[in-house]
Amino acid sequence: MNIYKFPHNFLWGAASAAYQIEGAWNEDGKGESIWDRFSHTPGKISDGQTGDVACDHYHRYEEDIALMRRLGLKAYRFSVSWPRVLPLGRGRVNPQGLDFYDRLVDALCAANIEPYLTLYHWDLPQALQDEGGWTNRVTSHAFADYAALMVKRLGDRVRNWTTFNEPSVVAFNGNLFGEHAPGLQDPKTAYQAAHHLLLAHGLAARTIRAAQPDANVGIVLNLWPAEPETDSAEDASAAKAYWEKYEIHFLEPLFKGHYPLGAYEMAGENMPVVKDGDLALIAQKLDFVGINFYSRSVVNAQGRVDSVPGSEYTEMGWEVCAPAMRRLLVKINQEYKLPPIYITENGAAFADEVSADGKVHDPRRLDYLKQHFLQTRLAMQDGVDVRGYFVWSLTDNFEWAHGNTKRFGLIRMDYDTLQRTVKDSGEWYAEVIRTNQIQD
Ligand code: FCB
């Protein structure tokens, strides 16, 4: 048996996102978001569910914070619903919306849990979408104003600010593949949205720093390493090309100040309008970068391989391959001058059940987490500066186009009663946090 200790100040946490947990979609003056509109459109969500109630966290946040305390979390990553605080995206402020986040942050501080606030986890105000959404440059400026509002209200207690969660999913799943809100399938829109998301990040980072000089500002990227199916030279070059086409569209402008060649190849005539000064703003120095890691893409000369013989797959159809996480961290650490890294999401959906003893025995999730913690620890030994880890997710929640069918939580959600039950993986995680180590 081996014991792997983590540094004494390693920040163990869990993550969530407003639309996936809050519910109260039209209460207390909240405006409509693109996810409200999308989930209310028949046929868009696989089980016909919406986030109207979700985990009802808006009303039950105190219970959820009590559960975080029970697990011993040191940090909690959550997002603010933009239309809850600015119902139309700009202009009129909704004081009740701001009050909610004020209470939430106060309760976290009282529980000694460090808030990690994400400004945008996909729920754009519908009113801004109606004016072109992320294809409209004005939206980037509206985002910076929204950031300023939040810093003014919470900056005395929140130090860690994330501008965007997974901008590539926002741009491409929402505007090219159409499987996420706003459900468009238009390359020109998608590439322009991608650029305006980066611009909004740059504008907001500058605004946050000006208003709160001791703030830590970062962004969260989802990265799936592309790995060759075999040792052949063909597969190696196919994997390299795949990575450069699909995975670095945001990494390169953020950390090198330019779009990669692969972006020009992919977008062709749909490359976005980039104005003078945009890239400098986008590439400004950050205090941290968040990496969301779930799985990898296995690639050969024909493209992406659907299924790798012998591999385990989660309910999302994602391959379980923890060593790929270490390889990814080492690779990006070598290729980019990165600020300190947080693993801002990692976790797995499995079809767990409540057993006769009333408990949720989820050994596969527990093992998934253990393997990924271990590989992260090994990457740290390789010299990667990882400061903390947020498990996705605190509770089962509304998994976007999959509705309530995919369960990622350390805590089970009974969607009929909204009862929360800590799973075995949650109890195990509490022990990891308490001892600050894992054993294999
Ligand atoms: C990520 C999202 C998060 C959750 C997980 C499973 O892409 O950021 O909200 O849906 O996937």
PDB file of all heavy atoms in Angstrom, residues 141 201-211 217 281 284:
ATOM      1  N   HIS A 141     -19.000  43.897 -23.325  1.00  0.00           N
ATOM      2  CA  HIS A 141     -18.951  45.061 -22.430  1.00  0.00           C
ATOM      3  C   HIS A 141     -20.000  44.939 -21.323  1.00  0.00           C
ATOM      4  O   HIS A 141     -19.745  45.298 -20.170  1.00  0.00           O
ATOM      5  CB  HIS A 141     -19.113  46.351 -23.238  1.00  0.00           C
ATOM      6  CG  HIS A 141     -17.906  46.642 -24.087  1.00  0.00           C
ATOM      7  ND1 HIS A 141     -16.795  47.276 -23.605  1.00  0.00           N
ATOM      8  CD2 HIS A 141     -17.633  46.321 -25.376  1.00  0.00           C
ATOM      9  CE1 HIS A 141     -15.866  47.352 -24.560  1.00  0.00           C
ATOM     10  NE2 HIS A 141     -16.357  46.770 -25.651  1.00  0.00           N
ATOM     11  N   HIS A 201     -13.825  38.050 -21.323  1.00  0.00           N
ATOM     12  CA  HIS A 201     -12.916  37.613 -20.251  1.00  0.00           C
ATOM     13  C   HIS A 201     -11.869  38.693 -19.991  1.00  0.00           C
ATOM     14  O   HIS A 201     -11.626  39.078 -18.842  1.00  0.00           O
ATOM     15  CB  HIS A 201     -12.251  36.291 -20.650  1.00  0.00           C
ATOM     16  CG  HIS A 201     -10.986  36.034 -19.906  1.00  0.00           C
ATOM     17  ND1 HIS A 201     -10.964  35.570 -18.615  1.00  0.00           N
ATOM     18  CD2 HIS A 201      -9.684  36.228 -20.268  1.00  0.00           C
ATOM     19  CE1 HIS A 201      -9.704  35.480 -18.208  1.00  0.00           C
ATOM     20  NE2 HIS A 201      -8.919  35.863 -19.193  1.00  0.00           N
ATOM     21  N   GLY A 202     -11.257  39.189 -21.062  1.00  0.00           N
ATOM     22  CA  GLY A 202     -10.200  40.201 -20.914  1.00  0.00           C
ATOM     23  C   GLY A 202     -10.733  41.486 -20.297  1.00  0.00           C
ATOM     24  O   GLY A 202     -10.115  42.059 -19.386  1.00  0.00           O
ATOM     25  N   LEU A 203     -11.876  41.943 -20.783  1.00  0.00           N
ATOM     26  CA  LEU A 203     -12.455  43.178 -20.250  1.00  0.00           C
ATOM     27  C   LEU A 203     -12.811  43.015 -18.776  1.00  0.00           C
ATOM     28  O   LEU A 203     -12.542  43.893 -17.943  1.00  0.00           O
ATOM     29  CB  LEU A 203     -13.730  43.548 -21.037  1.00  0.00           C
ATOM     30  CG  LEU A 203     -13.528  43.990 -22.488  1.00  0.00           C
ATOM     31  CD1 LEU A 203     -14.875  44.010 -23.220  1.00  0.00           C
ATOM     32  CD2 LEU A 203     -12.877  45.383 -22.542  1.00  0.00           C
ATOM     33  N   ALA A 204     -13.404  41.868 -18.446  1.00  0.00           N
ATOM     34  CA  ALA A 204     -13.841  41.653 -17.057  1.00  0.00           C
ATOM     35  C   ALA A 204     -12.631  41.495 -16.138  1.00  0.00           C
ATOM     36  O   ALA A 204     -12.617  42.025 -15.022  1.00  0.00           O
ATOM     37  CB  ALA A 204     -14.742  40.421 -16.971  1.00  0.00           C
ATOM     38  N   ALA A 205     -11.592  40.801 -16.606  1.00  0.00           N
ATOM     39  CA  ALA A 205     -10.396  40.623 -15.767  1.00  0.00           C
ATOM     40  C   ALA A 205      -9.831  41.996 -15.405  1.00  0.00           C
ATOM     41  O   ALA A 205      -9.484  42.260 -14.250  1.00  0.00           O
ATOM     42  CB  ALA A 205      -9.356  39.776 -16.502  1.00  0.00           C
ATOM     43  N   ARG A 206      -9.758  42.868 -16.396  1.00  0.00           N
ATOM     44  CA  ARG A 206      -9.233  44.222 -16.148  1.00  0.00           C
ATOM     45  C   ARG A 206     -10.132  44.974 -15.157  1.00  0.00           C
ATOM     46  O   ARG A 206      -9.652  45.602 -14.214  1.00  0.00           O
ATOM     47  CB  ARG A 206      -9.175  44.958 -17.492  1.00  0.00           C
ATOM     48  CG  ARG A 206      -8.406  46.249 -17.443  1.00  0.00           C
ATOM     49  CD  ARG A 206      -8.264  46.846 -18.820  1.00  0.00           C
ATOM     50  NE  ARG A 206      -9.565  47.257 -19.344  1.00  0.00           N
ATOM     51  CZ  ARG A 206      -9.744  47.793 -20.561  1.00  0.00           C
ATOM     52  NH1 ARG A 206      -8.729  47.945 -21.376  1.00  0.00           N
ATOM     53  NH2 ARG A 206     -10.942  48.155 -20.967  1.00  0.00           N
ATOM     54  N   THR A 207     -11.428  44.859 -15.355  1.00  0.00           N
ATOM     55  CA  THR A 207     -12.383  45.550 -14.485  1.00  0.00           C
ATOM     56  C   THR A 207     -12.296  45.034 -13.046  1.00  0.00           C
ATOM     57  O   THR A 207     -12.316  45.814 -12.094  1.00  0.00           O
ATOM     58  CB  THR A 207     -13.819  45.299 -15.012  1.00  0.00           C
ATOM     59  OG1 THR A 207     -13.866  45.743 -16.350  1.00  0.00           O
ATOM     60  CG2 THR A 207     -14.857  46.013 -14.186  1.00  0.00           C
ATOM     61  N   ILE A 208     -12.212  43.722 -12.897  1.00  0.00           N
ATOM     62  CA  ILE A 208     -12.168  43.138 -11.550  1.00  0.00           C
ATOM     63  C   ILE A 208     -10.911  43.618 -10.830  1.00  0.00           C
ATOM     64  O   ILE A 208     -10.957  44.054  -9.675  1.00  0.00           O
ATOM     65  CB  ILE A 208     -12.190  41.588 -11.612  1.00  0.00           C
ATOM     66  CG1 ILE A 208     -13.500  41.092 -12.209  1.00  0.00           C
ATOM     67  CG2 ILE A 208     -11.964  40.985 -10.219  1.00  0.00           C
ATOM     68  CD1 ILE A 208     -13.507  39.612 -12.608  1.00  0.00           C
ATOM     69  N   ARG A 209      -9.793  43.580 -11.537  1.00  0.00           N
ATOM     70  CA  ARG A 209      -8.523  44.007 -10.923  1.00  0.00           C
ATOM     71  C   ARG A 209      -8.554  45.462 -10.511  1.00  0.00           C
ATOM     72  O   ARG A 209      -8.026  45.824  -9.458  1.00  0.00           O
ATOM     73  CB  ARG A 209      -7.394  43.814 -11.922  1.00  0.00           C
ATOM     74  CG  ARG A 209      -7.103  42.366 -12.149  1.00  0.00           C
ATOM     75  CD  ARG A 209      -5.598  42.171 -12.144  1.00  0.00           C
ATOM     76  NE  ARG A 209      -5.315  40.752 -12.087  1.00  0.00           N
ATOM     77  CZ  ARG A 209      -5.199  39.987 -13.169  1.00  0.00           C
ATOM     78  NH1 ARG A 209      -5.334  40.510 -14.381  1.00  0.00           N
ATOM     79  NH2 ARG A 209      -4.940  38.720 -13.033  1.00  0.00           N
ATOM     80  N   ALA A 210      -9.166  46.299 -11.360  1.00  0.00           N
ATOM     81  CA  ALA A 210      -9.203  47.732 -11.044  1.00  0.00           C
ATOM     82  C   ALA A 210     -10.024  47.955  -9.778  1.00  0.00           C
ATOM     83  O   ALA A 210      -9.694  48.789  -8.940  1.00  0.00           O
ATOM     84  CB  ALA A 210      -9.796  48.504 -12.215  1.00  0.00           C
ATOM     85  N   ALA A 211     -11.100  47.172  -9.630  1.00  0.00           N
ATOM     86  CA  ALA A 211     -11.994  47.387  -8.489  1.00  0.00           C
ATOM     87  C   ALA A 211     -11.487  46.687  -7.230  1.00  0.00           C
ATOM     88  O   ALA A 211     -11.822  47.101  -6.118  1.00  0.00           O
ATOM     89  CB  ALA A 211     -13.390  46.871  -8.842  1.00  0.00           C
ATOM     90  N   VAL A 217      -7.790  36.416 -10.310  1.00  0.00           N
ATOM     91  CA  VAL A 217      -8.671  36.304 -11.475  1.00  0.00           C
ATOM     92  C   VAL A 217      -8.197  35.161 -12.367  1.00  0.00           C
ATOM     93  O   VAL A 217      -7.000  35.041 -12.651  1.00  0.00           O
ATOM     94  CB  VAL A 217      -8.680  37.615 -12.288  1.00  0.00           C
ATOM     95  CG1 VAL A 217      -9.672  37.521 -13.437  1.00  0.00           C
ATOM     96  CG2 VAL A 217      -9.016  38.804 -11.400  1.00  0.00           C
ATOM     97  N   LEU A 281      -5.507  42.251 -24.615  1.00  0.00           N
ATOM     98  CA  LEU A 281      -6.432  42.215 -23.470  1.00  0.00           C
ATOM     99  C   LEU A 281      -6.698  40.757 -23.062  1.00  0.00           C
ATOM    100  O   LEU A 281      -6.724  40.405 -21.881  1.00  0.00           O
ATOM    101  CB  LEU A 281      -7.728  42.877 -23.938  1.00  0.00           C
ATOM    102  CG  LEU A 281      -8.694  43.470 -22.940  1.00  0.00           C
ATOM    103  CD1 LEU A 281      -7.993  44.447 -22.017  1.00  0.00           C
ATOM    104  CD2 LEU A 281      -9.803  44.193 -23.716  1.00  0.00           C
ATOM    105  N   GLN A 284      -3.774  38.939 -21.113  1.00  0.00           N
ATOM    106  CA  GLN A 284      -3.210  39.539 -19.895  1.00  0.00           C
ATOM    107  C   GLN A 284      -2.957  38.449 -18.858  1.00  0.00           C
ATOM    108  O   GLN A 284      -3.584  37.384 -18.857  1.00  0.00           O
ATOM    109  CB  GLN A 284      -4.129  40.619 -19.332  1.00  0.00           C
ATOM    110  CG  GLN A 284      -5.395  40.079 -18.727  1.00  0.00           C
ATOM    111  CD  GLN A 284      -6.389  41.186 -18.401  1.00  0.00           C
ATOM    112  OE1 GLN A 284      -6.344  41.747 -17.334  1.00  0.00           O
ATOM    113  NE2 GLN A 284      -7.261  41.495 -19.350  1.00  0.00           N
TER     114      GLN A 284
END
